[in-house]
Amino acid sequence: MTDTTVRRTSAGSPMGLLSVFGSTLFQLSGVFMLSPLMLVLLKEREVSTTVAGLFAATTWLGIFIVTPFASALTRRWGQRRTMWFASGAPLLAAIGFLTTDSLWLWFALELLAGVAGGLRWVLAEAFIAEFSPSDRLGRTIGIYATMVGATFIIGPTLLAWVGSEGPAALGLVIALLSLGLAWTTFIPVVPPHAESTNTHVGLRGLWQAVRSHPIIMLAGFIGGFFELGLASILPLYGLAMGLGAAAGALLISVSGLGSTLAAIPVGMVADRFTDKVRGRRTLMALCVAMALATACGLLLVARWHALAWPIVFVLGAAGSSLYTLSMTDIGAREQGIALVNSTAVLVLNYTLGGLVASAVSGALIDWSPNMGFPLVLITVAAIGLVALLRTRRAGRF
C-alpha cells in the first residue's frame, strides 16, 4: 500500500509552510525564553522551590487538559482561528506577567499559556502536513522538528544575552511573541475535507485515531520515552555513575544534539521509498533496534564512562527519528479533523512516554543505576521492536 491510496497528492503550499515556520520560530523562541525567566523571577520573590516547580508543571497541565479536545475546538473555531488563539494567549500571558505581581494570577496565566501551547503543538504539525508537498513530507517534518529543537537554544541564549533584571527581558519576550502572532495571520485557509464531516471529535475522535494507528501511537510513546523522558533525568544518571554535575548536565546537550541532527536525514530517507508506508515501518524498526542495541551498552558504562556520550547521542537520535516518522506517517494518511485527532493522540503518547521515563527511571537510578536503569530501557525497546516487526510481517500498516 502506498500513500496515494490514502491521501490526495498535493503540490503543497509554500506560503503556508513559510507562515507556520515563521510563526513557530518566533513563538517558541519567546516561550523558551519566558520559561526560565519566570523561574528566576519566582526565586527573586523568594517563593519555595516546590512552588516554582508547580509553576513549571502548570505548563504541562495545560497541554494535557487541552490536547484531547484540540479537534473539537478546531471544528468549532476553524484551524486558523484556533491557531490565532494559540499564538495570542501566550502574548496575553507575558503582558500579564509584566503588569501584575499577583502569584495566583501568574499561575492562571501560565495555565492559559500551557493550553495555548498544547493547541499550537497539535495544529502546527497538522498544518505542516497539510501544506507540505506529498513527495517531500518526511523532509519537511524533519526540517520543522530541527527548527523546533533550535528554539530550545535560541530562547535561553537570548535570556542570557539580555539578562533577567528589569523589564527588558519580558519586553523582548513580548516582541518575539508579537512577531509569532503576526506570522500566524498569513497562514492560508485550509479547504474543508469531505471526510471531516464524518469524523468524531473529542474523546471518541481520539479513540478512533488510536484504533486507526495503534502501532504509530506505540512508536510515538517509545520516541517520547527515549527523547523527552531520558533528557530530563540524564543529570541524575550522570551523578549516579560518578560523572560529576557538569558532565551530567552536558549529557542533556549531547542527547539534544542527537535529536536535532537526526530529524532531517531520517525524513529525507523516508521520502525516497517507493512503498512509503512499508519503508517508514522499516525505518521505525531500525530505529528501535538501534535504541535496543545502544541501551544494552549502558550495562558497560560503569566500567567505561566514555561510552555514556555516544549512547545518549544515539538514544536521543532514535527517539527523535521515531517521532518524525510517526508524524510523517500520520500526515501522509490523514487530512482535516482526522489529521488533528491523530496528531493529538501522537502528542499525548509522546508526552506520556516522556513522563513514564522520567518517573520510572528516576526510581530505578536510585535503586540500581548499573542494572535496573538499563534493563527498563532495554525492555521498552524490545517490546517496541517485537510489535513493529510483527505488524510489518503481517502487513497491518
Side-chain angles (χ1 to χ4, degrees):
M1 175 167 43
T2 60
D3 288 342
T4 55
T5 63
V6 291
R7 188 175 190 265
R8 289 198 304 267
T9 300
S10 169
S13 169
M15 185 60 198
L17 286 176
L18 181 62
S19 301
V20 177
F21 271 76
S23 173
T24 302
L25 174 63
F26 288 106
Q27 189 85 21
L28 293 189
S29 294
V31 166
F32 293 130
M33 182 181 174
L34 180 63
S35 296
L37 173 62
M38 293 308 300
L39 294 180
V40 171
L41 294 179
L42 285 170
K43 294 307 293 180
E44 287 179 354
R45 295 183 59 176
E46 299 182 351
V47 304
S48 67
T49 302
T50 300
V51 172
L54 288 173
F55 184 86
T58 302
T59 302
W60 291 104
L61 176 62
I63 291 174
F64 271 104
I65 287 173
V66 76
T67 302
F69 307 103
S71 58
L73 291 172
T74 301
R75 174 171 283 178
R76 177 180 294 273
W77 295 345
Q79 284 179 284
R80 293 181 78 225
R81 289 183 181 178
T82 309
M83 192 66 163
W84 290 345
F85 168 80
S87 297
L91 175 59
L92 178 64
I95 294 173
F97 294 142
L98 182 64
T99 56
T100 181
D101 291 327
S102 172
L103 188 58
W104 72 264
L105 187 55
W106 278 18
F107 269 87
L109 290 170
E110 186 68 9
L111 181 63
L112 175 66
V115 168
L119 284 175
R120 165 171 284 279
W121 190 348
V122 173
L123 284 176
E125 299 197 359
F127 272 126
I128 292 294
E130 292 277 10
F131 293 143
S132 174
S134 299
D135 60 344
R136 295 194 294 275
L137 179 60
R139 183 180 69 173
T140 305
I141 290 177
I143 294 171
Y144 178 78
T146 301
M147 184 198 71
V148 170
T151 62
F152 282 84
I153 301 171
I154 295 171
T157 301
L158 289 174
L159 179 60
W161 172 63
V162 75
S164 60
E165 297 180 0
L170 272 174
L172 181 55
V173 168
I174 290 171
L176 290 169
L177 296 177
S178 298
L179 286 171
L181 178 59
W183 271 102
T184 303
T185 62
F186 295 108
I187 296 177
V189 175
V190 178
H193 302 293
E195 63 271 24
S196 294
T197 59
N198 301 318
T199 303
H200 297 297
V201 296
L203 297 179
R204 289 183 67 187
L206 296 186
W207 178 240
Q208 186 180 45
V210 170
R211 293 182 62 187
S212 299
H213 309 287
I215 197 65
I216 293 301
M217 301 315 164
L218 176 62
F221 176 88
I222 297 172
F225 190 95
F226 282 107
E227 183 181 17
L228 183 65
L230 289 190
S232 65
I233 53 87
L234 282 175
L236 299 178
Y237 175 70
L239 288 173
M241 300 307 293
L243 295 178
L250 283 175
L251 287 176
I252 299 178
S253 300
V254 174
S255 175
L257 183 63
S259 300
T260 301
L261 294 180
I264 295 176
V266 78
M268 293 177 68
V269 172
D271 288 336
R272 295 183 66 85
F273 288 96
T274 302
D275 186 343
K276 289 182 171 56
V277 178
R278 184 178 292 273
R280 286 191 293 266
R281 293 298 187 277
T282 300
L283 288 176
M284 287 180 188
L286 288 174
C287 289
V288 177
M290 182 172 63
L292 175 59
T294 307
C296 291
L298 286 172
L299 297 169
L300 304 175
V301 170
R303 187 171 300 176
W304 295 293
H305 286 174
L307 285 176
W309 305 99
I311 285 174
V312 300
F313 178 90
V314 173
L315 291 177
S320 172
S321 298
L322 283 170
Y323 186 85
T324 299
L325 291 167
S326 299
M327 189 61 230
T328 302
D329 195 88
I330 289 172
R333 290 166 171 264
E334 303 289 5
Q335 299 177 64
I337 295 299
L339 174 60
V340 176
N341 272 333
S342 297
T343 304
V345 173
L346 178 61
V347 168
L348 284 172
N349 277 275
Y350 177 80
T351 53
L352 178 62
L355 290 175
V356 169
S358 299
V360 174
S361 298
L364 287 170
I365 289 171
D366 278 339
W367 173 59
S368 175
N370 295 334
M371 292 293 295
F373 176 65
L375 286 177
V376 74
L377 270 62
I378 292 169
T379 301
V380 170
I383 292 172
L385 182 59
V386 170
L388 280 163
L389 290 177
R390 289 183 62 183
T391 302
R392 187 181 184 281
R393 189 175 297 117
R396 295 193 301 268
F397 299 127

